[in-house]
Amino acid sequence: MDYQQLLVETNNNILYITINRPQKLNALNKEVLTELSVAVANAQKDKGIKAILITGAGEKAFVAGADISEFQNYTLEEGKQLAKNGQETVFDAIENSAKPVIAAINGFALGGGLELAMACHIRIASENAKLGLPEVTLGLIPGYGGTQRLAQLVGKGNAFEMIFTADMISAEKALQLGLVNHVVPIANLLEKANEILEKIKLRAPLALASAVKAVNAGFNPKINGYDVEINEFGRCFDTQDFKEGVTAFLEKRKADFKGE
């Protein structure tokens, strides 16, 4: 795909996705969401990609929200379809990605931007980051999974406070709440993300995919997460990666996983 709103590059088995609308503080519009959907879907089929990093262009914003002008005149049904399409094709796709996804939050992560970060498996924030869900100031609520994922990450009471007040919180407060994993100076943001990604690259790809399924199942009330864990644990025994991992351990060498 010829991306217009994203910068997409693969380097050392890592897919780097940069939302490239700095003049709009990288706000999400239909094009961005469509391109994100394609980039994430393509990564699932590419055995050469072992992990994904998502960030925003510049130092002011990861994603400062959605492009409100696109949906200001939507009807009830159009609003429901907007949320449904976005959740299914982008946010859920990222959360369920077999390839681990890290969000490098550089600056503002507001509204749909924070929802995008929360859909990622790991979040690293720069010290200047500001995070929040301001939708109620527009007469809306978060529609891309924000009401669900925020409560999962920070607890029900903290989620209600952030959504009800629409206040932005600092990166340090986000760290205290468990909303982000690490906070670093902005100059070290990608360095910290790459440090984690380099570790992930060394691990068994099929085991990582199984871990994503098992962890996510624990937050789905329709699924028994323990059953999913048992099934995924068993599936790992039927992989070449498991055989390589055990052999490498016994031979006291680093494993060379092939994702098979």
Side-chain angles (χ1 to χ4, degrees), residues 12-14 16 50-53 99-105 120-125 175 180-184 188-203 208:
N12 291 326
N13 303 111
I14 299 169
Y16 294 89
K50 296 187 176 181
I52 302 169
L53 181 140
K99 315 294 175 79
V101 186
I102 290 181
I105 304 170
C120 298
H121 303 123
I122 296 171
R123 284 156 296 283
I124 304 168
L175 182 63
V180 300
N181 298 67
H182 304 278
V183 174
V184 297
N188 303 121
L189 182 63
L190 293 183
E191 178 185 348
K192 181 62 179 179
N194 281 318
E195 176 189 318
I196 297 173
L197 288 164
E198 287 299 320
K199 291 179 182 178
I200 290 172
K201 279 170 45 179
L202 299 176
R203 313 312 177 202
L208 294 175

Side-chain angles (χ1 to χ4, degrees), residues 17 26 53-64 102-110 113-120 122-132 153 169-171 174-175 178-190 192-193:
I17 300 173
N26 302 320
L53 181 140
I54 299 177
T55 192
E59 297 187 352
K60 290 184 178 180
F62 172 70
V63 171
I102 290 181
I105 304 170
N106 51 315
F108 292 109
L110 305 175
L114 179 54
E115 290 177 294
L116 177 62
M118 290 192 293
C120 298
I122 296 171
R123 284 156 296 283
I124 304 168
S126 59
E127 290 175 338
N128 68 320
K130 299 290 184 183
L131 303 89
L153 290 165
I169 63 171
S170 67
L175 182 63
L179 185 51
V180 300
N181 298 67
H182 304 278
V183 174
V184 297
I186 193 163
N188 303 121
L189 182 63
L190 293 183
K192 181 62 179 179

